[in-house]
Amino acid sequence: MDMHAFFHPQHIAVIGASANPAKIGHSVLSNLIQAGYEGAIYPVNPKETQILGHPVTHNIADLPRGLDMAVLTVPRDPVLPAVRQLAELGTKAVVIITAGFKEVGREGFHMEQEIKEIAEENDIALLGPNCLGLINSGAGVNVTFAAGAPASGNVAFFSQSGALCQAILDWAVGENMGFSKFVSLGNKAVINESHMLDYLGDDPDTDVVLGYIENVSRGQEFLRKARAMSRKKPVLMIKSGTSTSGAKAASSHTGAIAGSDQAYEAAFQQSGIIRVRDIASLFTLAQAFSCQPLPQGPNLAVVTNSGGPGIMTADACERSKLHMARLSQETIEGMQEFLPSFASLHNPVDIIGDADAERYRLTSEAVLRDQNVNALLILLTPTATVVSQLDQVAENIIHLANQSEKPVFVCLMGKHSIAAAQQKLVQAGIPCYNFPEPVIQSLEAMYSYQQWRNRPEEHVEEIRTDRERAEEIVNGFRSRLSPGRSVEIVEYQAQELLRAYDLPAAATSIATTSAEAAQAAEKIGYPVVLKVASPDISHKSDVGGVRVNLESPEQVKQAFLEITSQAKYHEPQAYIHGCLIQEMAPGGMREIIVGFNRDDQFGPLLMFGLGGIHVEVLKDISFKLAPISRSQAADMIRSIKSYMLLKGIRGETGVKIRAIEDILVRVSQLATDFPDIVEADLNPVLVNDERAIVADVRLTLHMPHT
Ligand code: ADP
Ligand code: MG
């Protein structure tokens, strides 16, 4: 696919170009002309002879062969034949603005499918259908029907929603924010977010990438591209359609089905994409990332002429990953020379209400020089003294920021009297806000990104397993499974599979009579646990099928009889094999839960949490997409809120975290090796300071349709 022809076309045909200003085919042509496009333009229209000064071609068949780009603004039904003709002419890129395809129903879906096939067979870079078009400021290309064109800049934007594109363009024009590339993806029949990441990663005109998506087209490819890309440039992305009702709206919107939110969260986090929750934040962050250097550390210094806002900033800072910098003695002593005695010399540095431009300049310079400072916020309340000198203040800040390798942010508290200065700062590339919160938000994201970029690439170790044994067990189930069906592998055999992966399954025997059970218990050693053994019962406690802490042969025999009869009573249809006799984990072990399910887009999603109310009520769970490295496993464990309970608080002995890491990486490997195991639930795993025991496990095997 020729992405160069797509972004830098030497010739563009506008099919459906119109002399009527109310038509989309007119807007596209006129935007292209207004953008100063210097390549050849071919309006195509069956009737006109000339539109906007350009001679008209009457039929697609009369267009030259091998055009770089054709833009389609015709009604829906002629689109498919047009694409066929363009393919025959060897057109390299096709933009379909026309709507009415998969987003509206079956017929449209099938047409889109055919268009996609033609494009793929002929290697056409096809955008849309159902999109606003694209802009490449550097090449004078604007084939959108949007009103108003953005300035050129170093930010690229792509979006699945055309309406959002319109709104954002308008906003950007108003805010004077410039774009390098602007692409409305529409239905993503061919070109999708992965192509964007791929291309924009190496685009010299783009420093920051913004994206709005409702779903990802190819999860694994997206992850790979995103991971490579975000090492080069920051990628800020909004993913909508996460709430259930949001997901429904998204599916009727562009015919996309939203993946599960946890999987997206994990995907973004593991590939270094900065997830943004709303459009306001997208712009705040885009501005900061696009015009300021990344902070090399978390330490922020604040220079302010008023106490309250300075303290509020410090509070917001402490709630974030950032810290208030501790200024060096040298800086403090230096400031004493020129600051009045009432000034507060510690961060936030309060240069008090009568501060003028010069005091701001001297203090900001001194603070920014300090080695303990990674970023500076200049906070200003429009007092009478400083308001008359605002222009000078702005000038000084611009000068200071331009010479510094540390990020400088400004917060002018107010609206009316600061407007001119604010505009001056923003135009010079200094992020300037009316409140301190966006500053903290931006810097925190920039700092996190900086940390992510400095982190070594994850290395997933290949674990030695008895793969043959594992295959043998799974094959036993596969052979009994027809396509499209699932089966649960319950505890006894699931444990065997775990053992093949060196996972610490509790010692377990199976007995078909109470006498056998007592014998098995003798071998394992008291106390033991008895559980119902049935391929048809997966939630054993629910049918009275689990007895713990049995200490004698009598108790074991008794439990055997009770469990089997209870199970028969609750599940009369179930085949009951007998009972499992299992080693009883020592008292005081913590219960944790490890498992995975499979996301349609991103594959196996591992989960980890502390058992009991922590998972069920507090939803204190961490997720990652498999495969994971050991350090990612450690991350998963650390990132639950109740981590301190595992680590041990107030002199309490903690559990062996390494044993949990081991389990996570091994389960990750199992999930990766067996794509047809669609779910796993190790619940509970018991851990103490010495070891971990998997006390219960069930797996779900699914045979895909062939
Ligand atoms: P279920 O099918 O109901 O999930 P489990 O095997 O998980 O059955 O047993 C229920 C509970 O019994 C567990 O959550 C755990 O608290 C306890 N338990 C199960 N096996 C053991 C064991 N080997 N040692 C200690 N406690 C156990
Ligand atoms: Mg269980």
Side-chain angles (χ1 to χ4, degrees):
M1 212 158 61
D2 191 343
M3 291 304 279
H4 186 77
F6 178 79
F7 278 115
H8 297 267
Q10 299 298 307
H11 4 73
I12 302 178
V14 180
I15 299 163
S18 169
N20 176 357
K23 291 276 172 78
I24 286 179
H26 184 90
S27 310
V28 171
L29 188 63
S30 108
N31 276 343
L32 183 58
I33 293 165
Q34 269 173 30
Y37 179 65
E38 285 174 352
I41 302 179
Y42 300 93
V44 179
N45 180 302
K47 294 188 204 96
E48 308 286 339
T49 52
Q50 207 177 23
I51 305 174
L52 293 169
H54 288 267
V56 167
T57 306
H58 286 153
N59 299 301
I60 294 176
D62 300 333
L63 285 170
R65 292 192 63 81
L67 283 187
D68 277 348
M69 178 178 279
V71 185
L72 288 163
T73 64
V74 295
R76 185 191 70 171
D77 290 347
V79 169
L80 178 57
V83 171
R84 217 172 260 136
Q85 275 182 299
L86 289 167
E88 277 161 19
L89 287 171
T91 314
K92 292 177 189 138
V94 172
V95 177
I96 305 176
I97 289 179
T98 313
F101 291 89
K102 83 168 173 193
E103 78 279 11
V104 298
R106 271 185 88 80
E107 202 187 348
F109 176 85
H110 288 299
M111 278 188 195
E112 184 168 326
Q113 208 53 32
E114 273 192 68
I115 290 169
K116 180 184 160 87
E117 278 161 26
I118 296 169
E120 281 170 353
E121 271 163 30
N122 294 278
D123 208 25
I124 296 173
L126 185 129
L127 182 69
N130 184 25
C131 74
L132 187 74
L134 84 136
I135 297 174
N136 178 7
S137 309
V141 172
N142 179 347
V143 287
T144 67
F145 59 95
S152 75
N154 62 350
V155 177
F157 178 79
F158 62 85
S159 162
Q160 205 170 336
S161 155
L164 194 78
C165 283
Q166 292 261 26
I168 277 174
L169 263 186
D170 195 58
W171 190 93
V173 172
E175 289 285 313
N176 206 8
M177 173 149 159
F179 288 105
S180 55
K181 310 277 187 297
F182 193 96
V183 183
S184 162
L185 294 173
N187 289 5
K188 307 194 292 190
V190 177
I191 291 181
N192 60 34
E193 53 287 329
S194 295
H195 298 106
M196 289 296 115
L197 293 183
D198 212 18
Y199 184 87
L200 296 170
D202 295 323
D203 177 26
D205 298 333
T206 299
D207 295 326
V208 181
V209 177
L210 311 186
Y212 166 88
I213 54 166
E214 287 159 5
N215 72 328
V216 158
S217 298
R218 293 181 186 174
Q220 299 292 340
E221 184 184 341
F222 174 80
L223 280 181
R224 237 179 309 114
K225 298 270 155 80
R227 213 174 284 140
M229 163 82 188
S230 59
R231 296 232 164 228
K232 300 182 206 167
K233 298 170 189 181
V235 183
L236 311 171
M237 215 127 132
I238 294 188
K239 156 77 178 77
S240 71
T242 53
S243 62
T244 324
S245 57
K248 276 205 191 99
S251 78
S252 49
H253 185 190
T254 54
I257 295 159
S260 81
D261 193 48
Q262 281 87 3
Y264 273 100
E265 187 70 38
F268 282 15
Q269 197 247 333
Q270 284 170 254
S271 55
I273 291 180
I274 301 151
R275 186 170 190 181
V276 182
R277 298 287 167 177
D278 53 71
I279 297 179
S281 306
L282 187 70
F283 277 97
T284 305
L285 296 181
Q287 210 161 24
F289 272 97
S290 68
C291 64
Q292 287 295 301
L294 297 174
Q296 298 299 311
N299 302 319
L300 172 69
V302 178
V303 173
T304 175
N305 65 345
S306 56
I311 294 164
M312 280 170 64
T313 308
D315 284 349
C317 186
E318 292 307 327
R319 282 194 300 269
S320 76
K321 273 189 177 182
L322 304 171
H323 303 303
M324 288 297 279
R326 266 183 78 98
L327 299 177
S328 72
Q329 203 48 38
E330 194 189 335
T331 305
I332 292 172
E333 279 163 18
M335 290 192 301
Q336 268 166 348
E337 313 254 311
F338 56 81
L339 286 181
S341 56
F342 294 142
S344 162
L345 300 173
H346 295 273
N347 189 19
V349 181
D350 187 348
I351 58 174
I352 61 182
D354 63 347
D356 59 1
E358 187 60 5
R359 201 186 286 168
Y360 260 108
R361 183 179 71 81
L362 290 168
T363 316
S364 303
E365 281 173 5
V367 167
L368 197 58
R369 252 197 319 267
D370 193 316
Q371 298 237 338
N372 302 342
V373 172
N374 302 120
L376 172 66
L377 167 62
I378 298 166
L379 207 99
L380 186 147
T381 312
T383 59
T385 324
V386 83
V387 151
S388 61
Q389 300 177 10
L390 266 185
D391 197 54
Q392 188 60 48
V393 172
E395 204 119 301
N396 293 344
I397 292 173
I398 293 166
H399 185 73
L400 178 70
N402 283 344
Q403 297 196 327
S404 173
E405 280 169 8
K406 300 173 186 176
V408 174
F409 284 72
V410 180
C411 177
L412 301 177
M413 310 267 291
K415 188 100 191 158
H416 175 66
S417 58
I418 53 97
Q422 175 151 5
Q423 200 182 4
K424 184 170 189 155
L425 286 163
V426 169
Q427 269 172 3
I430 316 287
C432 183
Y433 306 104
N434 303 117
F435 305 102
E437 290 77 12
V439 177
I440 301 298
Q441 188 192 10
S442 301
L443 270 170
E444 183 179 26
M446 289 166 88
Y447 172 59
S448 299
Y449 176 64
Q450 165 70 6
Q451 274 185 312
W452 191 86
R453 249 201 348 197
N454 286 343
R455 223 162 52 192
E457 296 254 13
E458 297 298 342
H459 174 71
V460 178
E461 55 185 312
E462 181 81 24
I463 291 160
R464 294 247 307 272
T465 59
D466 189 348
R467 183 72 189 264
E468 227 167 275
R469 174 78 190 115
E471 286 288 349
E472 196 184 319
I473 297 162
V474 178
N475 277 337
F477 286 89
R478 283 179 183 140
S479 62
R480 278 177 267 154
L481 211 51
S482 47
R485 300 297 293 267
S486 301
V487 66
E488 283 207 353
I489 309 180
V490 293
E491 191 165 352
Y492 193 66
Q493 271 138 323
Q495 277 193 349
E496 277 295 288
L497 193 55
L498 297 193
R499 287 196 189 94
Y501 273 72
D502 260 339
L503 281 153
T508 306
S509 300
I510 196 157
T512 51
T513 64
S514 62
E516 266 177 44
Q519 267 174 10
E522 211 68 43
K523 260 203 193 139
I524 286 172
Y526 292 106
V528 294
V529 178
L530 242 64
K531 302 179 184 180
V532 62
S534 162
D536 306 318
I537 297 174
S538 65
H539 295 274
K540 301 175 289 288
S541 315
D542 293 356
V543 298
V546 180
R547 294 291 161 83
V548 298
N549 213 17
L550 304 170
E551 299 195 291
S552 65
E554 292 69 38
Q555 284 185 355
V556 168
K557 285 181 188 162
Q558 172 88 14
F560 185 97
L561 298 174
E562 282 170 10
I563 285 176
T564 44
S565 62
Q566 281 274 342
K568 276 199 186 98
Y569 170 76
H570 285 286
E571 293 280 340
Q573 310 295 334
Y575 168 73
I576 293 168
H577 196 71
C579 280
L580 303 179
I581 296 89
Q582 193 168 79
E583 70 172 302
M584 167 93 190
M589 288 182 101
R590 288 235 175 243
E591 294 201 356
I592 60 169
I593 299 177
V594 173
F596 65 82
N597 61 18
R598 240 165 245 282
D599 183 74
D600 290 346
Q601 286 300 334
F602 298 110
L605 183 68
L606 295 172
M607 65 155 244
F608 163 76
L610 219 59
I613 58 158
H614 299 282
V615 164
E616 267 150 41
V617 183
L618 304 173
K619 307 269 180 265
D620 185 15
I621 313 166
S622 62
F623 296 93
K624 266 196 206 300
L625 295 165
I628 57 166
S629 68
R630 184 167 277 277
S631 78
Q632 285 175 304
D635 236 20
M636 274 185 90
I637 301 166
R638 259 197 311 268
S639 61
I640 60 167
K641 293 188 205 81
S642 31
Y643 172 62
M644 288 313 283
L645 294 179
L646 286 177
K647 210 170 157 253
I649 30 171
R650 299 206 193 95
E652 206 183 54
T653 331
V655 307
K656 190 172 174 184
I657 302 286
R658 209 172 156 79
I660 309 177
E661 288 171 14
D662 257 328
I663 290 179
L664 284 168
V665 293
R666 282 166 197 282
V667 170
S668 156
Q669 174 98 36
L670 178 72
T672 315
D673 290 347
F674 288 91
D676 52 354
I677 299 179
V678 291
E679 247 181 79
D681 192 17
L682 282 62
N683 177 15
V685 176
L686 299 155
V687 265
N688 62 14
D689 55 342
E690 285 174 358
R691 61 173 182 150
I693 305 173
V694 182
D696 181 25
V697 50
R698 77 183 130 255
L699 307 169
T700 309
L701 188 74
H702 179 79
M703 179 74 80
H705 287 284
T706 38

